[in-house]
Amino acid sequence: MTDHQPPEENYSKANEDFLKAVYLLQQDQERVQTSVLAEALNISAPSTTEMAKKLAKAQLVIHEPYRGIRLTEAGERIALEIVRHHRLLELFLVQALGYAWDEVHEEAEQLEHAVSERLMQRIAEYLGNPRYDPHGDPIPGPEGDIHDRELTPLAEWEIGEKGLIARLRDQSPEMLRYLDDKGLVIAAQVEILKTDPFDGPLTLLVDGTEQVIGVNVAQYILVAPYENPH
Ligand SMILES: [Zn+2]
């Protein structure tokens, strides 16, 4: 006999990933369709339905055929805990271990299931109980409380108005490296100098340096007013 039980461990990791994916998709849609969830989890639609049924039995999701899936309160509590682990770990890797912001997501995907509440509490204290991760996503508190902010896509920002970069919607490593090259990082000061017509490029002032980006990239950058960044 060993003290590790891989099948059960994988089972709980799969469940946690499932609940987390529903939570993240629920930010944009009230009920999550099986096909959308299957794509996010990179598993087949039948496996997704099967898992949804199991989790519905455990009263962690509500699954109504043809209407989609949503979390129960108990399901949301688990999802928020995993999201808290993920985002705290990302920030810890950046701030304490010197990782770049495009390198942390995959590490956190693995670690989020393995860490104890005690370790997460110590990491949160070490980081000063932060509210946002390296990509500007809110970090749920130990009770699942979230400090969400009203942010505006840079593409819709007023010309000549100073703002602070607060959150990124596209967090693929390629996009993060591109934004980093342009100085478009969290808490950078940004101002639109001019926009070209017909969805043309935006000319920006980023921490005092002129930069040009496409309007589609500007959709992914969320901005807070300069006076009141949080
Ligand atoms: Zn991540």
Side-chain angles (χ1 to χ4, degrees):
M1 240 182 83
T2 68
D3 50 2
H4 281 278
Q5 293 170 310
E8 239 173 74
E9 220 172 74
N10 290 340
Y11 175 75
S12 88
K13 180 183 182 295
N15 286 346
E16 287 172 358
D17 280 336
F18 189 100
L19 296 171
K20 185 180 69 167
V22 176
Y23 172 81
L24 295 174
L25 290 166
Q26 272 188 335
Q27 306 303 301
D28 296 322
Q29 51 216 284
E30 207 184 317
R31 283 160 191 279
V32 180
Q33 296 306 317
T34 314
S35 55
V36 176
L37 192 54
E39 203 186 313
L41 289 166
N42 202 15
I43 58 176
S44 70
S47 315
T48 306
T49 305
E50 199 184 310
M51 282 193 76
K53 278 184 188 159
K54 271 190 203 150
L55 291 170
K57 218 176 234 174
Q59 299 190 332
L60 296 173
V61 302
I62 293 164
H63 179 216
E64 288 168 321
Y66 308 108
R67 297 198 60 197
I69 297 160
R70 63 189 168 90
L71 297 175
T72 64
E73 228 174 272
E76 188 180 78
R77 220 174 302 132
I78 295 171
L80 281 167
E81 195 183 305
I82 300 302
V83 169
R84 171 175 159 82
H85 292 180
H86 183 101
R87 293 178 179 171
L88 274 173
L89 286 161
E90 286 192 338
L91 192 63
F92 180 74
L93 292 170
V94 167
Q95 288 202 347
L97 302 184
Y99 274 67
W101 69 343
D102 59 294
E103 298 173 324
V104 292
H105 180 75
E106 282 311 314
E107 295 274 20
E109 283 288 286
Q110 300 305 319
L111 293 168
E112 64 187 17
H113 306 286
V115 287
S116 68
E117 274 320 299
R118 179 156 182 252
L119 175 60
M120 286 327 299
Q121 199 47 42
R122 293 291 281 270
I123 285 179
E125 280 164 24
Y126 175 85
L127 294 171
N129 295 310
R131 287 180 174 187
Y132 306 103
D133 82 359
H135 313 119
D137 291 333
I139 299 173
E143 309 302 329
D145 43 309
I146 290 239
H147 300 275
D148 229 340
R149 299 164 287 180
E150 283 231 14
L151 303 173
T152 309
L154 183 58
E156 292 161 30
W157 195 249
E158 198 92 30
I159 294 178
E161 188 96 19
K162 280 193 182 75
L164 286 176
I165 296 179
R167 189 174 184 178
L168 300 163
R169 282 209 292 219
D170 183 340
Q171 300 179 2
S172 65
E174 298 75 21
M175 179 62 83
L176 291 175
R177 280 195 291 272
Y178 174 75
L179 295 174
D180 200 55
D181 280 347
K182 300 248 172 203
L184 292 159
V185 295
I186 299 297
Q189 193 186 308
V190 67
E191 187 186 326
I192 301 173
L193 297 177
K194 76 181 181 81
T195 57
D196 278 16
F198 311 114
D199 287 338
L202 283 75
T203 308
L204 309 172
L205 199 60
V206 185
D207 282 336
T209 304
E210 226 175 277
Q211 299 283 1
V212 177
I213 60 167
V215 71
N216 53 333
V217 174
Q219 292 286 359
Y220 297 127
I221 302 170
L222 299 182
V223 177
Y226 181 63
E227 294 77 22
N228 179 24
H230 290 298

